[in-house]
Structures are given as C-alpha cells and as structure tokens.
Amino acid sequence: MRLYAVVAAGGFRRYATYRVATAAGVFTNTVFGLIVAYTYIALWDERPRLGGYDLPEALTYVWLGQALLMTCAMMGGGFEDELIERIRTGDIAIDLYRPADLQLWWLAGDLGRAAFHLLGRGIVPMVLGSLAFDLVFPASPLTWLAFFVSVALGVVVSFAVRFLVALSAFWLMDGAGVMQICWLATLFFSGMLLPLNLFPGVLGEVARALPWSSLLQVPADVFLGKHTGWSLVQAYAFQAGWAVALLAAGRALQRVATRRVVVQGG
Amino acid sequence: MGEAVRAYGLIAAMWIRSTMTYRTSFVMTTLGNFAATGFDFVTILLMFSHVDALGGYSLPEIAFLYGTTSTAFGLADLVMGSMDRLGRRVRDGTLDTLLVRPVPVLAQVAADRFALRRLGRISQGLLVLGYGLANLDVGWTAAKVAMVPLMLLSGGAIFASVFVAGGAFQFWAQDASEVQNSFTYGGNTLLQYPPSIFAKDLVRGVTFVVPLAFVNWVPSLYVLGREDPLGLPDWLAFLPPLVAAVCCGLAAQAWRVGLHSYRSTGS
C-alpha cells in the first residue's frame, strides 16, 4: 500500500514539473470554456430549462467539463502512451519482474496525475468562468465531498478503459488506431460535447448507460445537486460497478497478455 | 521562396511515400480524422434537434459558417499542422539538425511528418459546406459565388500564419504549444458559430486583434446578407485576401525574429 502511495505522489509531482505547459493549458481550457459557454447561452436562450438545467446550471456544466477534461484524460494524455510504448519496445518485461502489480502500479500513477490536473487545470478556469458568468456552486460541504468521490470514481473508470486500450498493443503493436477510437468515444459519450440529457431517444439512453458517462455527466450532476440521498447511492453504484467490471476485464486481459510475453521470450 | 516551396514538396512527398507503406493504417487514420472532426457538426445537429435557430441563424447558415472555417482550417492544418512540434524540437535540441541543412528551416519544420490523413478534416468541411450551399436561401450574384473559394484560400492563409506565429512563439515558450491550440483549434470552433451569439468584445478581439473574423465571419455576413453585429461597413467583406497577406508577412517576421533568438539546449 505504501508503495502505491509513493507511486501516486510521483505521478502528481511529475506533472507538477511542467509549470509553463500547465499555464498554457489553463489558458486553453479557459478559451474553450468561453466559446462553449456562449453557444450554450444561445441554446438555452431558445429553450430555457433544456435537459432539466437552468442557464446557470448549464454554464456550470461547461466549466466542469473543462475542469475534468484533463483530470479524466478525456482526450488522452495519461499513462497509456507510455504503456503502449513499453509494450512495443519490450520494456514491459522489466515491469513484470517488479514486485508490484502492473495494473495497480499504473493506476496509482494515474490517480496522482489526475489529482494534479484537477488542481492545476481545474480550479483556475473554474474561477475565471465564475467571474465571467453566473455559475452555481454547492452550498453544502457534503455536496463538495460527494462530488470529489464521484470524480475519483470517474478517474478510475477512465483509467480502466485506457488500461484495456493500452493492453491491446500486445496484439496490435501499434496502439494509435485504438487510442483514437477510444478518445472519440470518450468525448462523445462522456457528455463533453453536450450533456447526455440532451441526446435524443435511444441514443440518450444508451449514452447514459455506458461507462463514459461516469467521467463527466455523473460528477457534474452530483456537483449540481441532481443526485442526493438514494439517487446519489445509485450514481455511485453505477460508477463503481463499471469501475470494478472494467478493472476485472483489464486484469483478465493482463493475465493473457503476460503469457504472450513469456511465449515470445520478452 | 521558390527554394522553400521545393524543399517543402520534397519532404512532404517523402512522408507521403512512407505513409503509403501502411495503406490500411492510412485509410483508418484518415477515416478517424474525418469522424473526429465531424463530431463538432454532430454537436450542432444535436443542438438543432431542440431548436430551429441558434443566435437567429438557421441550420444551413451555420453549416455554411462551419464548412467555410473547417475547410480553411483544414487547408492550413494540412500544410502547417506540424508547427506545434517545434517546441519539442527546441527542448530536445533536434532543431540543430535542421539548422545545418541548406534548406529553409520553416519549410523543414512545416513539412516534418507531413500527414496526408489531414485530408479527412478538409473533406468533412467540404461535405458540410456542400450541405449548407445546397440548402441556403441566398440570392446568388457573381460576387457572392466568387467569394466562397476566395474565403477558403484567404482563410487558409490566415490560419497558416497563426500556425507560424505560434511556432515562432515556441522559440521562447518551449512547452506552451497549448496556447497555440487556443487560437487554431479554438478559433476554428469559434468561427463555426454565428458572431451574433458572442459578446461584442470577443467579436471585436477576433476582428481587430487576431483577425480570425476575416476567415469567414466578415465575408459570410455579406454572402448571407446579414447585418454585422459591430456595424462594420459592407466593403470589409472583400478584405480577406489583403488581411491574409498582412498576416503572412507579420508571421514571417515573427518567425525570423524567433529563429534568430534561438540558442541551442547546450546539452
């Protein structure tokens, strides 16, 4: 356990090193937040209370999306590039010798990365957004706590998906195609483009049931106080269920993949 | 100049040949590029499943804005899209290799890893533009018809100069390539929507400071017969080629200054 805490701290520190890049990222998140916010204003101007959100809630959703974009690695940029590279070059054999579990090792590092990005690229755009627009923040510290738990679960789901994608490199060698499909699916089904409540009919039902809604839609609804009491328990169960199922799938795939390495001789 | 274009062509041709070695991968990534850029329009379609107009603009009108900026941006991305790798080259010192070759550095950096798959973005933009043109209710005149290809080329040149200026900025900022994304990808997203939905100051900023409005907003208002939200005169619609030329000149100047201030990593 201590080991993984150290790895997580390392993940945090590693991303904290890139100060200029973080500042540049904050600028980009803010610019995109501004543009999307104005499109939402035009949309909610035509249809107030669309998707069950009033305008301040919709605008808050926009800035939460910017805050969680890097935290949940919705456009990539997490550990997966490195893991694929290690699989391609065969360095993965060294990782397998280590007295640490492969999946937990990378998960710990990714949690550290996510924590840094939540602080580094989430808070400032959110504050700037609240200066430019009328946003709604939770009044109760309990809601804040519930939100952070939901974000943590979202990060684990995001990790579990990307771990599966990275392991596919054992068979494909080149992970570029699968990674591209993965982040396309993530952007579309997380609610980053538009809240999933606005997706019509069956598409909306499917989108809300898929794991990616854990990355933005669910945490945002927790933040906006749409999930309280029993509904919050259900939201957590949804996220945790996907996390457990996907982590288990990753573990099974890891076992098969590891055997492949041994067969090939590393 | 001629030498630079020739060098660019040679390097680009080399990358195309190398890409074509893996044809399946090329087809997949081009389709991926097509789909990825298409999501922006899917978002707009999803919005229009709830409303009939956005900021007073109909779906074909927004498709026209979307198609013109996406195609113009796609052209710039095809030619200059590798500029954002410059920061990495400055950091790891591999820029030095390019400096000793008897070929303009800009041509080498821009043509580096020339990616034909970026045609995916252009074809997606053209497709939406085609949809917009087919459904627009506009009294076409010769001037309005000529305006469309003119917009695409001038707009491409304006975006290309943003790519070069962003590259020049990285000589100093090194790992701030994301700032460039705000103006390139962010600018493209901005111009997909009508100017009427944005705050006046924002519209002023992209008209007079970073003149992205000349990519499509200003000429589109003329084609669509719309009022300018800033109350600017009609003849501005014919300025894009001039604005593009000025932008390219300024970007070239910024590039020269940036390159001269370059000090190698020393490692």
Side-chain angles (χ1 to χ4, degrees):
Chain A
M1 205 53 221
R2 234 187 80 79
L3 169 71
Y4 299 112
V6 173
V7 174
F12 185 96
R13 264 206 307 278
R14 180 177 164 187
Y15 286 88
T17 322
Y18 303 109
R19 299 219 181 91
V20 179
T22 303
V26 164
F27 182 76
T28 310
N29 283 130
T30 309
V31 168
F32 272 91
L34 269 176
I35 296 171
V36 180
Y38 281 114
T39 67
Y40 277 33
I41 291 173
L43 190 59
W44 262 262
D45 214 32
E46 295 278 325
R47 290 284 308 274
R49 298 217 55 85
L50 189 59
Y53 300 120
D54 59 23
L55 183 61
E57 287 175 332
L59 291 174
T60 308
Y61 185 96
V62 171
W63 293 94
L64 284 170
Q66 292 301 320
L68 295 181
L69 181 72
M70 289 299 285
T71 309
C72 291
M74 287 189 241
M75 293 182 77
F79 71 97
E80 58 276 13
D81 302 316
E82 196 184 343
L83 180 53
I84 287 175
E85 190 60 16
R86 290 188 78 81
I87 293 171
R88 208 176 55 76
T89 56
D91 286 345
I92 190 76
I94 301 164
D95 299 350
L96 293 168
Y97 277 126
R98 288 199 187 121
D101 180 78
L102 188 72
Q103 195 184 32
L104 281 178
W105 171 279
W106 290 100
L107 174 60
D110 202 51
L111 286 175
R113 177 202 60 77
F116 172 74
H117 277 144
L118 187 63
L119 296 174
R121 292 191 53 175
I123 293 176
V124 177
M126 198 87 196
V127 170
L128 293 174
S130 71
L131 294 177
F133 303 100
D134 182 18
L135 304 186
V136 282
F137 289 95
S140 150
L142 279 178
T143 313
W144 279 102
L145 183 67
F147 167 69
F148 286 120
V149 172
S150 183
V151 170
L153 286 168
V155 173
V156 177
V157 172
S158 163
F159 165 83
V161 173
R162 287 175 290 130
F163 189 70
L164 280 168
V165 168
L167 287 188
S168 75
F170 273 108
W171 288 270
L172 300 170
M173 288 304 151
D174 172 42
V178 196
M179 287 232 314
Q180 191 178 32
I181 293 168
C182 175
W183 70 253
L184 283 179
T186 309
L187 281 185
F188 193 68
F189 290 115
S190 61
M192 192 66 207
L193 298 177
L194 212 57
L196 299 178
N197 303 349
L198 270 59
F199 282 27
V202 181
L203 178 66
E205 279 168 41
V206 172
R208 286 187 289 271
L210 289 173
W212 291 288
S213 66
S214 307
L215 273 53
L216 172 59
Q217 184 69 54
V218 176
D221 280 338
V222 172
F223 188 91
L224 295 170
K226 305 283 175 190
H227 293 302
T228 48
W230 182 239
S231 165
L232 182 63
V233 175
Q234 281 178 318
Y236 282 167
F238 173 80
Q239 289 183 297
W242 271 119
V244 169
L246 291 166
L247 285 174
R251 186 144 289 261
L253 198 66
Q254 176 186 330
R255 207 168 298 129
V256 181
T258 318
R259 227 172 277 142
R260 262 180 78 86
V261 173
V262 178
V263 173
Q264 285 188 336
Chain B
M1 182 68 192
E3 185 199 3
V5 172
R6 213 179 85 82
Y8 185 98
L10 283 173
I11 300 170
M14 182 193 81
W15 282 106
I16 292 173
R17 273 200 305 282
S18 98
T19 314
M20 285 306 162
T21 320
Y22 302 102
R23 255 165 222 276
T24 324
S25 183
F26 167 73
V27 172
M28 269 184 64
T29 49
T30 308
L31 286 176
N33 217 278
F34 183 90
T37 53
F39 270 171
D40 286 342
F41 194 64
V42 171
T43 308
I44 291 173
L45 287 177
L46 284 172
M47 287 179 168
F48 271 88
S49 74
H50 297 279
V51 297
D52 297 323
L54 206 58
Y57 282 62
S58 68
L59 182 58
E61 286 178 306
I62 290 186
F64 180 75
L65 289 172
Y66 180 100
T68 45
T69 185
S70 296
T71 310
F73 181 66
L75 288 171
D77 186 42
L78 179 71
V79 181
M80 289 290 168
S82 300
M83 291 303 294
D84 58 357
R85 296 175 52 82
L86 182 79
R88 191 184 305 174
R89 283 191 173 278
V90 172
R91 281 203 304 280
D92 64 16
T94 51
L95 188 69
D96 295 9
T97 340
L98 309 185
L99 292 175
V100 295
R101 290 188 195 141
V103 173
V105 180
L106 181 59
Q108 294 184 66
V109 175
D112 184 37
R113 291 175 183 266
F114 180 85
L116 204 58
R117 65 164 184 279
R118 294 184 187 132
L119 285 175
R121 182 187 286 279
I122 298 178
S123 46
Q124 191 265 337
L126 283 174
L127 201 71
V128 176
L129 178 60
Y131 163 80
L133 288 173
N135 290 283
L136 272 181
D137 189 17
V138 166
W140 287 101
T141 61
K144 286 187 179 183
V145 172
M147 188 62 88
V148 177
L150 192 73
M151 279 166 77
L152 301 183
L153 294 176
S154 313
I158 293 173
F159 269 128
S161 60
V162 176
F163 271 110
V164 173
F169 176 62
Q170 290 180 62
F171 281 113
W172 295 284
Q174 299 193 9
D175 56 351
S177 65
E178 278 219 57
V179 170
Q180 187 174 349
N181 292 348
S182 308
F183 293 101
T184 52
Y185 292 93
N188 183 39
T189 308
L190 179 83
L191 299 177
Q192 289 167 357
Y193 292 91
S196 59
I197 71 172
F198 296 102
K200 287 258 167 47
D201 283 331
L202 187 61
V203 180
R204 265 182 216 113
V206 294
T207 307
F208 301 115
V209 184
V210 186
L212 290 173
F214 289 91
V215 170
N216 73 341
W217 275 355
V218 174
S220 293
L221 293 171
Y222 169 76
V223 173
L224 300 174
R226 290 265 178 178
E227 285 290 311
D228 188 296
L230 299 180
L232 298 173
D234 272 355
W235 55 264
L236 278 181
F238 296 92
L239 281 189
L242 185 68
V243 173
V246 172
C247 285
C248 288
L250 289 174
Q253 194 56 38
W255 175 261
R256 251 172 254 130
V257 175
L259 191 60
H260 280 146
S261 74
Y262 172 67
R263 301 275 176 277
S264 189
T265 55
S267 58

